[in-house]
Amino acid sequence: MRIKSDFFQTDPVSAARNLIGKRIVCQKCSGIIVETEAYAAKGDEAAHTFTRPSAREFVSKYSAGSAYVYLNYGMYWLANVLIKGPKCNGFVLLRALEPENGIHLMQKRRNGKKLKDLCSGPGKLTIAMGMSGKIHGQSFTSSQSRFWFEETHNKTGILTDTRIGITRSADLPWRFLKKNNDFVSKKKAGEPSSPAP
DNA sequence: GTTTGGATTACT
DNA sequence: GTAATCCAAACA
């Protein structure tokens, strides 16, 4: 069941949490989302909207469920989903996936890395799934999109943590990860890396 | 026109 | 620990 745009018409923190355990499909490849981060369009100094007028323009011009993809550190594409709720707008950054289908193709794109290392970070995930700036502005929810999200029957524990790699608003607990999952980019402090002995 | 910093990764 | 590498924004 494909996820529709109303899923993204909420606040970014709820959307980020709700996306954990869902499936993302990009042509022949798919994976389960195991790590996300929320960014708010207002009051969040770590969000692009805080410093970049172009990001604020993107929020007003595009609809909920659109892809916001940008190049970071000059080298890596990072994929976000635009969130537009009645109270609050923002983005959800996709940070890690558990690969499902098309693993051979992902490994080819990722230069033969191991399964756990294919999508264990926001830059790695876009390489493995074949996403780049050319899908910036495209919708994840359009019926014509080659990239979309799907419902799953995943009953999964979700952990909350602080966001990674930012300097401003670094104390907000807006990172979400799937519990007991080894495909995340970084475990929450104190969580065992493999089933406890 | 030039400078600066960043939501990262891979390799040593 | 740090090099790789580019865009938008902020100066001048």
Side-chain angles (χ1 to χ4, degrees):
Chain A
M1 196 68 176
R2 234 153 120 153
I3 290 176
K4 299 193 179 69
S5 61
D6 60 351
F7 182 94
F8 303 105
Q9 291 163 17
T10 176
D11 63 282
V13 175
S14 299
R17 171 176 267 276
N18 291 337
L19 271 177
I20 298 293
K22 300 293 190 286
R23 179 181 298 109
I24 181 168
V25 183
C26 299
Q27 302 180 78
K28 303 214 163 188
C29 296
S30 71
I32 299 300
I33 299 168
V34 297
E35 182 180 347
T36 61
E37 281 176 7
Y39 289 84
K42 289 188 180 157
D44 180 4
E45 299 185 21
H48 275 188
T49 44
F50 189 77
T51 50
R52 293 163 70 144
S54 58
R56 295 194 285 274
E57 190 186 340
F58 185 93
V59 172
S60 61
K61 183 173 172 187
Y62 289 85
S63 58
S66 299
Y68 181 84
V69 185
Y70 80 101
L71 194 61
N72 196 41
Y73 293 103
M75 307 189 72
Y76 298 102
W77 293 105
L78 273 62
N80 300 252
V81 190
L82 178 58
I83 306 299
K84 295 180 89 167
K87 290 185 181 173
C88 182
N89 300 330
F91 297 96
V92 174
L93 170 66
L94 305 174
R95 285 194 56 90
L97 308 176
E98 179 176 339
E100 215 176 36
N101 295 321
I103 289 172
H104 186 74
L105 176 55
M106 291 192 213
Q107 278 177 325
K108 192 174 167 185
R109 288 174 175 145
R110 288 276 297 130
N111 207 16
K113 288 289 191 304
K114 288 191 213 140
L115 188 61
K116 274 201 227 173
D117 208 25
L118 284 183
C119 301
S120 59
K124 299 176 185 179
L125 155 164
T126 54
I127 297 170
M129 300 299 271
M131 304 171 84
S132 74
K134 70 187 173 202
I135 66 161
H136 181 67
Q138 290 184 19
S139 173
F140 282 105
T141 58
S142 149
S143 58
Q144 308 170 54
S145 176
R146 299 225 295 259
F147 308 89
W148 65 87
F149 298 99
E150 284 180 0
E151 275 300 340
T152 59
H153 303 286
N154 235 307
K155 289 181 190 168
T156 168
I158 298 173
L159 300 178
T160 304
D161 200 359
T162 50
R163 296 177 292 184
I164 291 179
I166 54 170
T167 52
R168 294 167 301 205
S169 298
D171 54 323
L172 295 170
W174 284 2
R175 183 166 83 109
F176 300 97
L177 12 62
K178 196 171 167 186
K179 195 175 179 181
N180 295 327
N181 188 285
D182 289 338
F183 293 88
V184 299
S185 68
K186 191 180 177 190
K187 293 241 158 195
K188 178 166 179 167
E191 194 199 5
S193 59
S194 52

